[in-house]
Amino acid sequence: MGKLILDKGPKLVDVANAAGVSKGTASNVFNRPEIVSKEVRERVLAAAASIGYSGPDPKGRLLSAGKVNAIGVATVEPLGYFFTDPFARVLMTGITEACDANGTGISLVSAANEDELIWNVRNALVDGFILFCLEGAERLIDLSRERQLPFVALAFGHRDETISVVAVDNVEGARVAARHMAELGHRDFAVLAMEFQEGGFGRATPERIARSTFSASGDRVKGYLDELASWNIDTSSIPIFETLAGEATVHPALEELFSSPTPPTALLAQSDRIAFIALDWLRARGISVPGDVSVIGFDGVPECERSTPPLTTIQQPIAEIGRRAVKAILDHGHEVWRETLDVELAVRKSTAPPPARRIR
Amino acid sequence: MGKLILDKGPKLVDVANAAGVSKGTASNVFNRPEIVSKEVRERVLAAAASIGYSGPDPKGRLLSAGKVNAIGVATVEPLGYFFTDPFARVLMTGITEACDANGTGISLVSAANEDELIWNVRNALVDGFILFCLEGAERLIDLSRERQLPFVALAFGHRDETISVVAVDNVEGARVAARHMAELGHRDFAVLAMEFQEGGFGRATPERIARSTFSASGDRVKGYLDELASWNIDTSSIPIFETLAGEATVHPALEELFSSPTPPTALLAQSDRIAFIALDWLRARGISVPGDVSVIGFDGVPECERSTPPLTTIQQPIAEIGRRAVKAILDHGHEVWRETLDVELAVRKSTAPPPARRIR
DNA sequence: GCGTATCTTTGAACCGGTTCAAAACCTTCA
DNA sequence: TGAAGGTTTTGAACCGGTTCAAAGATACGC
């Protein structure tokens, strides 16, 4: 039947035997050559070469070493998300920087489907996880906790005080956004929000917002309304639309808003992505931004500078979040590490005072 | 001194003891629960829960399983390269797609410095490597070969016939580029090439090109010249500048070319990146593209559509290269797998017939 | 009551290394 | 010649699981 025996490749013990030394000594030759006598060292190396052994297999080392020297970055999205989504990319830049500085590798773990996610998180060979918490945050967090490895949740603040989180102050960021609009003179607002609960969209009631599972969206609404209330604006009449940051859910919201006799002059978008969709829709409708309506985003992805018009937004320190997350894992391990970073208003061309006829 | 004993966490054997079963049975409970009697299964699970054991550690499994279920993507650049470089990003998109489809993870391995590269490649926990061969390809290939894992080299064709490669036909691509220009009527060419040898730049002699270590750049020159020769153009007088795809080396080349009394009307850039730099420089100089000079790139990164003017280029099937590379590793393992994909001419706005006064 | 077929569980071998206390070996010096 | 001191090497224990042939248990048919 020919050569069916697949050569399993030589192991350290084979080298040791071939060189006539103990396994311990052979191991030392590869890891701490300086403590082995030159003579023996050369003999072992020669033996290794002659039987085709090219150094210890990391799989073996791993078990006793304990450390993998890599951190896992996990999300519920397909893996491509890390390379296509603007926010993710900038974040990854920060993560990679910190990892490079520490000589740590990166493992991308994701999931095409639920089962895979579970398998991937359970079996990822990593020393810790950075969780990209979009939707499905709960699952991801539960699974990570099961692994009993250090992990830190990102981007989405999470109400659970027992897990490590690196995030921005969403309430404050939203306040700044609303204040910017109010200072420009706007009084007619509408909010294009992210999901409050898994898969939700459409006009949102205060109750739904209060019960939001995704704290970022809830917090941002709170920030907007708190600030506007301080300007004596009747916040109860501000329409809030929940969206999935896709055209399918953003367009209907805009449709409804701008078919009103008094459409908003200020659009508070909870993410740049939503804002871009709005910008496109408004342009297609011939509604001028910022002439007729001002739009402000949230996040500060690089694309803001290239949109038409360039998007005014709340700039998150995206890369810094990534760097801090790595630090949290590497330096703080299992200890609960919660960090809140500051955001900044980045004024571009999508905001201006409301049209003269609408100033109240 | 308080609790200095760090709890090493319960192991499978602890669970087995606690439940009064053998290690083998305990293992089965987690991996093939269906072959264990319900009664025992529940007892083991209960024992696990009570001592805080949450499933087998993948580090342990790894050794006997053999497969990591992840492939490594290696480059000599810092890790951030994967997320910032346009070519790399598209490539990674293809790689991730194929990995997702196979339930395979991705490990990014890179190197801040030489030592780290060595350590990383030697110790990466992966089932195979995809090598992003830019400069330093040799090192990377040698190191990968040492690991005795399947690996495939990308993008840069490599002359060594014994390694697996997924690449495009650089000679043919370059011919197509040159033909496009020739068909438009151009007769005065200049080539902005990539490195022929590590770190090289400046006007390149035929000898240097012939000795090029990086075959892609050499092959592309060959393609350009072969094609132009067939149009009865004196290829020996075509200036060829080696660059590092940065302004520092591209600008001087352009400076020299366009200070000549008869500057080229057709610029053959060996990469889009070089072409973009040329576009910027030409615009700054007030030289019209494609009015005064036509520019064609190579690669086909998405940015081509957004440059001013949009760049005519040779489109590589970048994502497909990534997909094939994964397939090569996963389906063909150690067998030598060489694949050459076709490129396509993508005509945009940076090429046009030469200025009337220059038609010969 | 007993042999047989089926279902469970066991226990030892194995995956490929690292580690470290103790043993062996070498020098040096009184 | 022997004790002290330094340098190498050894070998067993360990890292945390998986696997599989064989033993043990249980059910079934006659």
Side-chain angles (χ1 to χ4, degrees), chain B residues 305-338:
Chain B
E305 294 176 1
R306 294 195 297 268
S307 60
T308 27
L311 184 69
T312 295
T313 194
I314 299 301
Q315 179 69 50
Q316 295 195 40
I318 311 182
E320 182 65 15
I321 294 176
R323 272 177 240 123
R324 303 282 185 116
V326 173
K327 236 174 121 55
I329 302 276
L330 259 27
D331 299 352
H332 302 285
H334 282 285
E335 132 193 30
V336 174
W337 188 258
R338 314 199 107 228

Side-chain angles (χ1 to χ4, degrees), chain B residues 45-59:
Chain B
L45 255 15
S50 88
I51 66 176
Y53 179 85
S54 52
D57 183 335
K59 292 207 279 291

Side-chain angles (χ1 to χ4, degrees), chain B residues 11-12 23 27 31 61 64:
Chain B
K11 318 193 281 191
L12 187 61
K23 208 160 59 122
S27 175
N31 297 303
R61 187 208 317 285
S64 32

Side-chain angles (χ1 to χ4, degrees), chain A residues 11-12 23 27 31 61 64:
Chain A
K11 318 192 282 190
L12 186 61
K23 209 159 59 124
S27 174
N31 297 303
R61 189 211 313 287
S64 32

Side-chain angles (χ1 to χ4, degrees), chain A residues 237-250:
Chain A
S237 65
I238 296 176
I240 298 177
F241 284 88
E242 183 174 2
T243 79
L244 303 175
E247 301 191 342
T249 50
V250 175

Side-chain angles (χ1 to χ4, degrees), chain A residues 127-139:
Chain A
D127 300 321
F129 284 105
I130 293 180
L131 307 183
F132 236 114
C133 298
L134 304 160
E135 353 117 26
E138 312 292 337
R139 297 278 317 104

